[in-house]
């Protein structure tokens, strides 16, 4: 998601190009992970505090997990799941009482969800439609076991291909099943009544009785069954119903419902229909040669984007005023309105990453984005009056790429930790241990504290030996072995020792912490070697040899002599039976 604010500074115009002089880059988030289109973006003061938020009807990745997101600045303020994909979002005032806080309406499936102060307030559902009588008769026969599921399948397929009244969701789901699943589906649903529910395809707002910016507004809904519904803003009853020859996908309105209004609906059949107050059917029709991809009303001119990469300007009576060809396919359109200057312009988001702004057929500005533009929204955001919000396709791809790279780097780091034994948590479930090291002091003597914790739920750990492996040229440890007491799950056990740095040049190295280690005992004479585990028997055997023995472990050595053999032997005497190897590494300086 990208946000830009307009600027009128003459200094900026002198120092930058034409595009950058009109816009200041305010925010760019390639990992916003927003999947939406222009009809599902709305800017509104949802809390009545003068801070405008961005409400987004998010389709979710691959059309899954749709949700409503509310953004304040660059952060997501609130998020709630939706039962179906969103079709449109709008902000409107429901009444004249104070405080004048607008409500948020989100069309999703057959319902309109209304929120006040970001809390669910009301749900309006479209009235149910009468089912196909032939379909109803077939399910009644299936209920009486007069036909089997194969006959029901054949008859429903014939109705779907020829009948003008579409099938219900129940029948459509039945036709999508495998033959082995149909009989169970019929037995489960044959006693249920057939319901046919319309779906909302588009939504906009219409002023109720005044043209003021803070006046009450009605919701205008376009449905899949080729109807337009006008809802009362307080009681949410249907004030007017109009029929169309096609399914509406874009709506534009002007005027007030109680006085006079015009309504333009672009439909899937490639036509635009114009309706007025008290008209049950369209008064004018604009026939397009291709499908519409956007509809914007600017200064009483209907601007239509087509799949032939053209912008067309029409009057409300269907007269073509002008045509402008675009350099790439038009993906989205929206209105840019700057009330302080009385400016209304049309924004067109293109597949080549451009956002083109037109006043009639005059090109005002071109903004270039990293990828194809999927949605546009202009208005007040936060406390900035003129903010343009753009979403692109690259955001989802960038988010997925970065997510995969993050997982790859985490996996590589985990493998390196296992190979170099740097992980602070046990890699096996057999010995669930967690180790944390703390080094204290300024040197040359440091205090090294190991914190051991048993991460299992109920099993204690007994007979654990911990030893330190280090470079004897650089460090000296008075105690290199620890016999760990019984580790009760969940408790923290500190083990303390001191480390003396022997280097006067500030050289540091790694001190490794190991448990259950294989060791090699070397006597003072050539060939006197014993490869063994850390057990008491081995220690006693070592004691019987010359006192000048050497203990080697994983490349490190501990040299005993007349000064230290007793302490080393006492440490090793306390060692219990061997454990399988696991390594921890600590860096000390």
């Amino acid at each position: 998601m990208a946000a830009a604010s307009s600027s009128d500074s003459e200094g900026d115009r002198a120092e930058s190009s034409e595009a950058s002089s009109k816009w200041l880059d305010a925010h760019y988030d390639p990992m916003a992970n927003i999947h939406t289109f222009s009809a599902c973006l709305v800017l509104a003061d949802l809390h009545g505090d003068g801070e405008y938020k961005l409400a987004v009807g998010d389709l979710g990745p691959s059309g899954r997990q749709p949700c409503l997101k509310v953004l304040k600045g660059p952060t997501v303020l609130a998020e709630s799941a939706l039962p179906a994909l969103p079709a449109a979002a709008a902000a409107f005032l429901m009444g004249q009482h104070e405080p004048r806080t607008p409500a948020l309406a989100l069309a999703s499936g057959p319902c309109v969800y209304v929120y006040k102060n970001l809390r669910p307030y009301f749900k309006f559902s479209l009235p149910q439609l009468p089912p196909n009588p032939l379909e109803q008769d077939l399910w009644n026969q299936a209920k009486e076991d007069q036909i089997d599921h194969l006959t029901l399948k054949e008859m429903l397929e014939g109705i779907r291909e020829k009948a003008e009244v579409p099938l219900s969701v129940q029948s459509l789901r039945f036709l999508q099943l495998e033959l082995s699943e149909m009989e169970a589906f019929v037995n489960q649903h044959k006693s249920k009544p057939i319901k046919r529910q319309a779906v909302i395809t588009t939504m906009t707002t219409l002023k109720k009785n005044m043209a003021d910016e803070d006046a009450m507004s009605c919701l205008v809904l376009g449905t899949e069954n080729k109807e337009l519904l006008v809802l009362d803003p307080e009681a949410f009853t249907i004030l007017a119903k109009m029929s169309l020859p096609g399914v509406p996908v874009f709506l534009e309105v002007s005027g007030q419902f109680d006085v006079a209004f015009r309504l333009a609906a672009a439909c899937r059949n490639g036509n635009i229909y114009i309706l007025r107050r008290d008209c049950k059917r369209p008064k004018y029709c604009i026939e397009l040669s291709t499908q519409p991809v956007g509809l914007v009303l600017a200064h009483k001119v209907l601007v239509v984007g087509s799949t032939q990469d053209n912008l067309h300007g029409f009057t409300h009576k269907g007269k073509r005023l002008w045509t402008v060809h675009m350099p790439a396919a038009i993906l989205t359109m929206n209105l840019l309105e700057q009330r302080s200057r009385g400016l209304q312009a049309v924004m067109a988001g293109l597949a080549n990453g451009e956002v083109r702004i037109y006043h009639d057929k005059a090109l005002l500005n071109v903004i270039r984005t990293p990828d194809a533009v999927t949605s546009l929204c202009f208005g007040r955001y936060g406390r900035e009056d003129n903010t343009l919000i753009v979403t692109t396709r690259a955001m989802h791809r960038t988010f997925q790429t970065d997510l995969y790279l993050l997982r790859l780097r985490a996996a590589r780091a985990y493998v390196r930790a296992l190979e170099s034994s740097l992980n602070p948590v046990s890699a096996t479930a057999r010995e669930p241990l967690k180790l944390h090291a703390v080094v204290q002091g300024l040197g040359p003597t440091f205090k090294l504290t190991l914190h051991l914790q048993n991460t299992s739920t109920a099993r204690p750990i007994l007979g654990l030996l911990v030893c330190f492996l280090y470079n004897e040229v650089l460090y000296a440890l008075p105690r290199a072995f620890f016999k760990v007491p019984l580790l009760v799950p969940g408790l923290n056990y500190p083990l303390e020792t001191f480390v003396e740095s022997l280097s006067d040049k500030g050289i540091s190295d790694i001190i490794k912490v190991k448990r259950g280690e294989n060791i090699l005992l070397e006597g003072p004479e050539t060939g006197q070697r014993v490869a063994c585990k850390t057990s008491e028997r081995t220690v006693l055997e070592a004691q019987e040899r010359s006192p000048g023995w050497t203990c080697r472990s994983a490349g490190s050595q501990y040299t005993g002599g007349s000064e230290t053999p007793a302490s080393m032997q006492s440490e090793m005497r306390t060692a219990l039976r061997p454990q399988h190897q696991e390594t921890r590494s600590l860096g000390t300086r």
Side-chain angles (χ1 to χ4, degrees):
M1 183 180 70
S5 301
S6 63
S7 172
D8 298 325
S9 172
E10 296 296 336
D12 289 343
R13 287 194 177 92
E15 295 177 3
S16 58
S17 63
E18 180 182 359
S20 61
S21 63
K22 294 180 173 62
W23 302 94
L24 301 175
D25 291 335
H27 175 67
Y28 173 65
D29 185 4
M31 299 180 64
N33 198 24
I34 292 178
H35 313 78
T36 188
F37 46 95
S38 298
C40 288
L41 294 178
V42 61
L43 292 167
D45 183 9
L46 300 176
H47 291 101
D49 55 358
E51 189 82 15
Y52 277 61
K53 283 85 175 177
L54 173 66
V56 181
D58 196 336
L59 304 177
S62 302
R64 302 175 182 177
Q65 300 176 351
C67 63
L68 168 65
K69 294 181 179 179
V70 179
L71 285 80
K72 180 181 179 181
T75 60
V76 177
L77 184 64
E79 183 174 348
S80 59
L82 295 175
L85 294 177
F92 69 107
L93 282 171
M94 299 173 53
Q96 299 293 340
H97 54 275
E98 298 291 338
R100 307 298 299 277
T101 303
L104 174 64
L106 189 71
S108 176
C111 303
V112 176
Y113 300 92
V114 181
Y115 300 83
K116 292 206 70 175
N117 294 319
L118 297 184
R119 295 182 179 179
Y121 178 79
F122 187 80
K123 183 181 78 170
F124 171 81
S125 299
L126 294 177
Q128 293 186 5
L129 304 175
N132 190 310
L134 296 177
E135 176 191 7
Q136 181 71 62
D137 183 62
L138 287 175
W139 281 100
N140 289 336
Q141 295 182 38
K143 181 180 179 180
E144 301 296 333
D145 295 331
Q146 298 178 2
I147 58 175
D148 58 6
H149 62 280
L150 296 178
T151 306
L152 178 62
K153 174 180 178 296
E154 295 176 0
M155 299 296 290
L156 288 177
E157 287 178 344
I159 295 176
R160 182 176 60 177
E161 295 174 359
K162 299 178 181 179
E164 296 182 358
V165 179
L167 295 178
S168 64
V169 175
Q170 177 176 316
S171 297
L172 294 176
R173 288 177 57 193
F174 170 73
L175 294 177
Q176 293 176 350
L177 298 175
E178 300 291 337
L179 291 177
S180 59
E181 302 173 341
M182 287 185 173
E183 185 176 1
F185 184 88
V186 172
N187 294 332
Q188 181 181 359
H189 295 86
K190 63 183 180 181
S191 300
K192 297 180 180 180
I194 300 298
K195 298 180 181 179
R196 192 165 67 90
Q197 189 81 51
V199 177
I200 301 172
T201 57
T202 182
M203 180 177 66
T204 188
T205 58
L206 171 64
K207 296 296 182 181
K208 182 72 166 58
N209 46 30
M210 292 186 295
D212 298 341
E213 183 180 354
D214 59 348
M216 284 195 306
S217 299
C218 303
L219 292 178
V220 183
L221 310 178
T223 66
E224 193 72 37
N225 60 320
K226 305 176 183 179
E227 288 184 341
L228 295 176
L229 305 178
V230 181
L231 303 184
D232 183 85
E234 295 180 302
F236 291 99
T237 56
I238 299 177
L239 299 178
K241 181 185 293 186
M242 293 160 276
S243 299
L244 294 171
V247 178
V249 290
F250 300 106
L251 290 176
E252 284 292 340
V253 297
S254 61
Q256 299 89 45
F257 178 80
D258 293 339
V259 183
F261 67 89
R262 286 192 181 95
L263 196 152
C267 299
R268 289 181 189 158
N269 58 5
N271 296 334
I272 300 174
Y273 300 99
I274 313 297
L275 300 95
R276 291 184 177 179
R277 177 179 167 82
D278 299 329
C279 291
K280 300 298 182 183
R281 293 193 174 273
K283 187 175 181 63
Y284 301 102
C285 175
I286 302 173
E287 296 184 359
L288 302 175
S289 57
T290 58
Q291 291 289 330
V293 295
L295 178 66
V296 175
L297 177 63
H299 289 301
K300 299 183 179 180
V301 176
L302 287 173
V303 182
V304 185
S306 69
T307 54
Q308 290 182 338
D309 308 340
N310 291 325
L311 283 181
H312 306 284
F314 294 94
T315 65
H316 277 95
K317 294 185 177 180
K319 180 181 178 181
R320 189 192 300 267
L321 299 177
W322 46 265
T323 298
V324 177
H325 184 71
M326 298 289 106
I330 303 173
L331 300 182
T332 185
M333 295 174 57
N334 214 334
L335 176 68
L336 186 152
E337 184 175 13
Q338 198 171 9
R339 291 188 176 89
S340 61
R341 295 186 174 184
L343 171 66
Q344 286 186 342
V346 176
M347 302 182 295
L350 308 183
N352 63 353
E354 291 183 352
V355 177
R356 292 189 163 232
I357 303 175
Y358 287 89
H359 179 65
D360 288 335
K361 61 179 180 180
L363 178 63
L364 299 182
N365 192 216
V366 177
I367 303 173
R368 291 173 175 82
T369 63
D371 206 340
V373 179
T374 57
S375 64
L376 298 167
C377 184
F378 181 85
R380 185 173 185 179
Y381 190 31
R383 299 187 182 274
E384 176 61 42
D385 287 331
N386 305 306
T387 303
L388 173 61
I389 299 174
V390 183
T391 64
T392 64
R393 286 178 182 172
M395 292 180 183
H396 180 58
R397 291 203 298 265
T398 303
F399 172 79
Q400 292 293 342
T401 302
D402 292 344
L403 182 60
Y404 294 148
L405 289 176
L406 179 61
R407 290 174 177 172
L408 178 60
R409 291 169 182 170
R412 288 176 175 173
Y414 181 68
V415 171
R416 287 196 299 268
L418 292 179
E419 292 177 348
S420 59
S421 299
L422 295 177
N423 52 320
V425 182
S426 176
T428 63
R430 181 182 174 185
E431 296 291 345
L433 289 175
K434 180 179 179 181
L435 182 143
H436 173 62
V438 177
V439 180
Q440 297 173 303
L442 301 176
T445 301
F446 303 90
K447 182 180 180 181
L448 176 60
T449 305
L450 301 180
H451 296 273
L452 283 174
Q453 184 179 0
N454 182 1
T455 58
S456 66
T457 57
R459 183 171 65 89
I461 298 177
L462 180 65
L464 183 64
L465 175 71
V466 174
C467 62
F468 295 93
L469 306 181
Y470 58 95
N471 190 337
E472 295 182 348
V473 177
L474 300 179
Y475 299 113
L477 273 74
R479 189 177 183 185
F481 289 91
F482 286 91
K483 178 187 176 182
V484 181
L486 175 70
L487 296 181
V488 178
L491 298 182
N492 183 43
Y493 293 84
L495 303 177
E496 298 180 352
T497 187
F498 289 91
V499 180
E500 183 180 358
S501 177
L502 304 178
S503 175
D504 57 355
K505 299 180 180 180
I507 302 176
S508 62
D509 197 6
I510 294 175
I511 297 179
K512 291 187 178 182
V513 183
K514 289 195 175 186
R515 65 183 179 88
E517 180 61 34
N518 296 328
I519 62 172
L520 178 65
L521 299 176
E522 293 186 356
E525 301 179 5
T526 304
Q528 269 190 318
R529 295 183 179 181
V530 177
C532 56
K533 300 286 186 177
T534 51
S535 65
E536 187 169 351
R537 176 185 175 186
T538 302
V539 175
L540 294 177
E541 291 179 356
Q543 287 179 341
E544 295 175 356
R545 292 172 170 80
S546 173
W549 51 267
T550 301
C551 172
R552 297 183 181 272
S553 177
S556 299
Q557 72 176 25
Y558 303 87
T559 303
S562 58
E563 298 179 357
T564 60
S567 60
M568 291 292 293
Q569 291 168 7
S570 63
E571 291 288 346
M572 296 185 67
R573 186 180 298 111
T574 59
L576 300 178
R577 61 181 179 274
Q579 305 286 336
H580 67 279
Q581 176 177 326
E582 185 165 305
T583 306
R584 307 290 185 268
S585 297
L586 306 172
T588 59
R589 295 183 180 275

